[in-house]
Amino acid sequence: RLMKKFLLSAALVAASITSPALADTYSFNETGEEKTGFYSTISIGNASFDDPGWDTTVSGTNYGGAADLDPDSAAYEIGFGYDFGKLRTDIVYSHSEQKLDSCTETKQSSTCDPGNQGSGEISSFLANVYYDFHNKSKFTPYLGLGIGTTNISPDSITVASTAYDLKSEDTFTYQLKGGVSYAIA
């Protein structure tokens, strides 16, 4: 259960860190009718998480504390979908890597050290549906909802001079999205 709170909160945040910033989402043809069809999406951005707490019990001793995450972490999302007009759907893969700058142990006054590892990868696969608020510009505001799965793969940390190999975990993920898309084609 080490860093369980981090894992669950990171999964939810990771699922919502990116948006389809560059997508062929909506446009009109020469007669003013809506265009529909397949589109692709790619997003690049920054993932920033609140510093998580953590706790675990080892041989009957309860350890717990806080972690300090690096505030700057690159993230990306890629995917493809179909535009039905006002509604569109897509399937996306998103990925970010979080660096653990430091950690503290407060229940037993033990040391906590992320060592040279101290990072973790967060990867999600999501199916999304969006409602586009159409206009005649290349910018289209939208609201969206998605569900999927997130894999969290943390590296090891050392608590009270004992190294712990943290296990990967898959978790159900959902997201609410809002933003503006820009049609490039």
Side-chain angles (χ1 to χ4, degrees):
R1 284 191 39 175
L2 189 57
M3 296 182 69
K4 183 77 169 181
K5 291 179 185 178
F6 165 70
L7 298 177
L8 294 178
S9 64
L12 293 175
V13 174
S16 63
I17 58 175
T18 58
S19 62
L22 303 172
D24 181 12
T25 59
Y26 184 75
S27 57
F28 295 94
N29 64 17
E30 297 79 28
T31 62
E33 298 172 334
E34 298 177 29
K35 285 186 179 180
T36 61
F38 290 98
Y39 69 92
S40 61
T41 180
I42 184 170
S43 300
I44 299 171
N46 185 29
S48 180
F49 296 96
D50 289 337
D51 291 336
W54 63 272
D55 65 82
T56 190
T57 302
V58 179
S59 301
T61 303
N62 190 15
Y63 295 98
D68 179 30
L69 298 177
D70 185 344
D72 296 315
S73 177
Y76 67 88
E77 178 181 86
I78 57 173
F80 64 93
Y82 191 84
D83 187 341
F84 295 95
K86 290 186 179 189
L87 287 177
R88 60 188 163 91
T89 60
D90 63 26
I91 296 174
V92 297
Y93 169 78
S94 64
H95 180 84
S96 71
E97 185 169 323
Q98 299 297 309
K99 183 173 182 335
L100 180 61
D101 285 340
S102 65
C103 58
T104 57
E105 198 290 322
T106 56
K107 292 185 178 183
Q108 301 297 323
S109 299
S110 298
T111 60
C112 179
D113 182 12
N116 291 332
Q117 302 292 320
S119 66
E121 294 183 4
I122 301 170
S123 301
S124 299
F125 285 99
L126 290 127
N128 301 296
V129 61
Y130 303 94
Y131 180 82
D132 290 320
F133 297 94
H134 298 310
N135 58 62
K136 293 190 178 190
S137 76
K138 289 189 172 238
F139 294 94
T140 305
Y142 67 87
L143 292 175
L145 172 68
I147 60 170
T149 183
T150 296
N151 177 269
I152 303 161
S153 299
D155 285 336
S156 62
I157 64 170
T158 301
V159 178
S161 301
T162 302
Y164 294 97
D165 184 20
L166 305 177
K167 295 181 180 177
S168 294
E169 185 171 328
D170 291 309
T171 183
F172 172 77
T173 303
Y174 67 92
Q175 66 180 355
L176 300 173
K177 295 175 85 170
V180 177
S181 294
Y182 179 75
I184 59 173

